[in-house]
Amino acid sequence: MKTILPKGFFTQNGYANSFMLFSLLTHILAAITSTGFHHADEHFQLLEPLGWKLGFYGPNDLAWEFTDKIRPGLQIILGWIVGKTMIAADAYSPFMLTAILRQLTGLLWWILTWAFYNKWKQEHKDTVMQKALLLFSACLWFLPYLHVRYSSESWGGLLFFAALYVVLCPPKTLKVNLSWLLGGLLMGLSFYFRFQMAFAIVGFVAWAFRYKKFTPASFSLLVSGGIIAAAIGTLTDYWLYNQWVCTPYNYFFQNIVADKASSFGTSPFYSYITMFIEIAAPPLSLLLLVLMCFGLWTSRRSPYTWVLVAFVVAHSAVAHKEFRFMFPMVALMPYLCVQGFLAIKSRLSNISPSVIKYSVKGFVAFNLALMAISLIKPASEREALFKAFYIVHNTHKNTKIVFAEKDPFDCGLKMNFFRYCNSCFVKQNEMNTAVDGTFFLYTDKIGGVVLQKNSIASLEYCVAPIVPQPMNIGHWQERTNKGFLWKIMPKQDAQ
């Protein structure tokens, strides 16, 4: 691996390498446990069209964005390449494919995080600051979870900051001019993973002009790389829609001109601040926000500040806001927090060292507890349920799965990516004629089983654990939507 990583990636400091290893393990674990999606777009905008392009079903149930041709094909073709390779090797399953995509995403983010750590630590000769940077880079509780998301936000940020690293720290094996070409290519690709990365690109270009970092040659090469990326993006869009389309224009027209984005809700200008405080877990989120604000001010001539400010301000000006839109910028949090810590360090001299010591220990313990929770909790529970269906289908051949209420694959839109076999699923009102003998029954509630005469039920799978009866005060559990899979057998078969 050393041959493909930046020189000096592995330090001579065993202490730092231990943190790197810890970070790698948390990323691997997050990719394993963080099944499902953080937001529905992670599934319906990527996995559903991926399953269609792999040939498992038609396009009729895809989201409206594909009818209006506003979603780019670049990230979908990446998953398609992995999926086709698995099919060729006779090793395909939708669950293995999503697991590989999460592991790939997490590994690339891990490499990029530590490449930036090795760059940023050179700015701090103070060992306390270096250790703080190490701690933020390895242990910030939400980084592994966000880094393994196979989403447009994650890959847009990944490609953009890879471009920033190449331009600001050109590898010695790469000529300086070629680093600008590669940087332009990666920035352009980041745009085709997520169009809103244009805000970050504008921030970087404005910084480079303001501080005279461009030469005519370097600027021309950056633009040339962007043009190559646009050509790649256009070709992948043609592959996806089977016709020439301009997805950036379509996206802008539908969401800004036609204002479809606002139909999903609007928020005031300052909402990203309040969202961060709430979602990043107070009081830790308040500390991080204060540190980042000080860091932005002390680093106001830094390209990172220009990128972040341009990105946040532009998003804040758009009426529709979701906190996931900020996810591409998580790469900057370790740097800005340490810069902020450096800015307020002198002001802490009047505070008792023991107060500082125990406060830091408290925040670290709280942060690690949050990380532990994020590493064992799935992003959403649907994929685990579908995997239970998959196991039943493969271990009980020709056995039907009956859904007692609504179709578990129907969440307003059809989740066909995990629906590998239509013939094994039967609606409850069809079960008398379609099901004979042993079958499986899916219910939303634990009390949703209605048995026929001479039948017994055993619980095979539950999305969430069933609590002991003494804790089931007022029978709240029977009214909770969890997702249960029951094995229904005639009594004589059970005996």
Side-chain angles (χ1 to χ4, degrees):
M1 183 179 284
K2 288 186 179 182
T3 58
I4 63 172
L5 297 177
K7 186 177 180 180
F9 187 86
F10 293 103
T11 70
Q12 300 299 317
N13 186 339
Y15 179 79
N17 287 341
S18 297
F19 273 83
M20 291 175 66
L21 179 60
F22 171 79
S23 176
L24 177 60
L25 293 176
T26 59
H27 280 68
I28 292 172
L29 182 59
I32 294 171
T33 61
S34 188
T35 57
F37 51 81
H38 177 85
H39 186 274
D41 277 4
E42 194 174 328
H43 178 90
F44 291 107
Q45 308 300 338
L46 294 172
L47 297 185
E48 287 301 314
L50 171 57
W52 162 51
K53 295 303 288 187
L54 287 172
F56 294 125
Y57 45 81
N60 294 338
D61 292 326
L62 296 181
W64 68 269
E65 287 90 341
F66 291 90
T67 303
D68 290 352
K69 299 178 178 60
I70 71 171
R71 292 295 177 184
L74 187 58
Q75 191 166 359
I76 297 169
I77 202 171
L78 175 62
W80 180 84
I81 292 169
V82 177
K84 279 295 186 181
T85 303
M86 295 175 67
I87 291 171
D90 196 25
Y92 179 84
S93 88
F95 310 99
M96 182 63 71
L97 175 55
T98 56
I100 290 174
L101 293 175
R102 287 193 302 271
Q103 291 286 0
L104 173 63
T105 307
L107 177 62
L108 293 175
W109 264 114
W110 177 79
I111 292 173
L112 184 64
T113 298
W114 291 101
F116 269 112
Y117 163 75
N118 282 306
K119 167 183 164 44
W120 291 334
K121 73 175 183 179
Q122 297 172 10
E123 299 180 18
H124 300 287
K125 303 304 180 184
D126 187 337
T127 56
V128 173
M129 292 296 103
Q130 289 187 355
K131 288 182 178 180
L133 181 61
L134 187 63
L135 194 65
F136 279 112
S137 298
C139 301
L140 203 52
W141 72 269
F142 44 77
L143 290 184
Y145 172 84
L146 295 182
H147 283 171
V148 302
R149 304 261 57 82
Y150 188 69
S151 63
S152 64
E153 294 88 3
S154 183
W155 275 80
L158 176 65
L159 270 291
F160 175 80
F161 284 104
L164 211 58
Y165 183 86
V166 166
V167 169
L168 299 177
C169 311
K172 292 183 178 179
T173 56
L174 195 66
K175 292 182 179 180
V176 174
N177 283 343
L178 289 180
S179 71
W180 285 97
L181 179 66
L182 180 58
L185 174 64
L186 292 172
M187 286 186 188
L189 293 177
S190 77
F191 172 77
Y192 269 90
F193 275 99
R194 182 160 184 80
F195 295 136
Q196 290 89 336
M197 296 311 300
F199 303 143
I201 295 170
V202 168
F204 170 75
V205 171
W207 169 83
F209 274 119
R210 170 64 179 82
Y211 294 103
K212 299 180 174 57
K213 302 296 181 181
F214 279 136
T215 64
S218 63
F219 181 71
S220 299
L221 287 167
L222 188 79
V223 172
S224 298
I227 292 172
I228 295 171
I232 295 172
T234 302
L235 289 173
T236 56
D237 289 345
Y238 180 86
W239 166 84
L240 178 62
Y241 296 109
N242 201 31
Q243 65 183 87
W244 295 110
V245 295
C246 183
T247 52
Y249 170 77
N250 292 346
Y251 186 92
F252 178 81
F253 180 85
Q254 292 295 337
N255 283 306
I256 304 301
V257 178
D259 201 25
K260 278 191 178 180
S262 294
S263 67
F264 297 99
T266 59
S267 304
F269 184 85
Y270 56 82
S271 292
Y272 285 117
I273 296 174
T274 56
M275 287 179 190
F276 179 81
I277 293 172
E278 178 183 352
I279 295 172
L284 179 62
S285 57
L286 290 168
L287 174 64
L288 295 175
L289 184 62
V290 169
L291 290 177
M292 284 193 294
C293 287
F294 275 100
L296 285 169
W297 177 251
T298 58
S299 307
R300 54 191 177 275
R301 293 182 177 84
S302 164
Y304 312 120
T305 297
W306 284 65
V307 164
L308 180 61
V309 169
F311 192 82
V312 173
V313 169
H315 273 87
S316 298
V318 178
H320 177 60
K321 298 176 181 65
E322 296 178 39
F323 190 61
R324 65 187 174 98
F325 297 164
M326 296 293 105
F327 288 176
M329 294 293 109
V330 295
L332 296 178
M333 289 196 68
Y335 175 81
L336 291 174
C337 286
V338 170
Q339 291 297 105
F341 182 46
L342 182 64
I344 66 174
K345 183 181 176 183
S346 60
R347 306 183 187 191
L348 300 177
S349 57
N350 296 328
I351 301 177
S352 169
S354 60
V355 172
I356 297 175
K357 177 182 177 181
Y358 287 111
S359 297
V360 169
K361 285 185 175 181
F363 277 113
V364 170
F366 181 53
N367 175 83
L368 291 178
L370 292 170
M371 176 180 278
I373 294 171
S374 73
L375 291 177
I376 61 174
K377 187 178 182 298
S380 63
E381 295 168 337
R382 284 278 166 178
E383 186 173 330
L385 174 64
F386 297 153
K387 192 169 185 178
F389 292 161
Y390 185 81
I391 293 171
V392 164
H393 174 69
N394 284 294
T395 55
H396 300 80
K397 299 296 184 184
N398 302 318
T399 299
K400 300 294 183 182
I401 299 175
V402 177
F403 44 95
E405 295 157 4
K406 62 179 284 188
D407 184 344
F409 292 93
D410 189 346
C411 301
L413 290 170
K414 297 291 182 66
M415 302 182 76
N416 292 322
F417 181 78
F418 293 111
R419 190 169 190 149
Y420 42 85
C421 175
N422 280 320
S423 62
C424 71
F425 294 96
V426 181
K427 295 180 180 179
Q428 187 178 28
N429 57 12
E430 300 171 355
M431 63 184 291
N432 290 330
T433 57
V435 179
D436 184 25
T438 299
F439 64 94
F440 288 83
L441 176 67
Y442 169 78
T443 63
D444 285 336
K445 295 181 174 64
I446 193 170
V449 180
V450 179
L451 294 177
Q452 298 175 343
K453 280 187 176 182
N454 299 318
S455 295
I456 62 172
S458 62
L459 184 61
E460 292 288 306
Y461 175 80
C462 178
V463 168
I466 297 177
V467 302
Q469 192 59 36
M471 299 174 61
N472 189 24
I473 301 171
H475 301 283
W476 61 267
Q477 184 166 245
E478 285 77 356
R479 300 189 299 273
T480 302
N481 290 326
K482 286 187 175 181
F484 300 86
L485 187 62
W486 306 85
K487 185 177 183 180
I488 312 296
M489 297 177 290
K491 286 185 178 179
Q492 61 270 25
D493 291 354
Q495 294 172 356

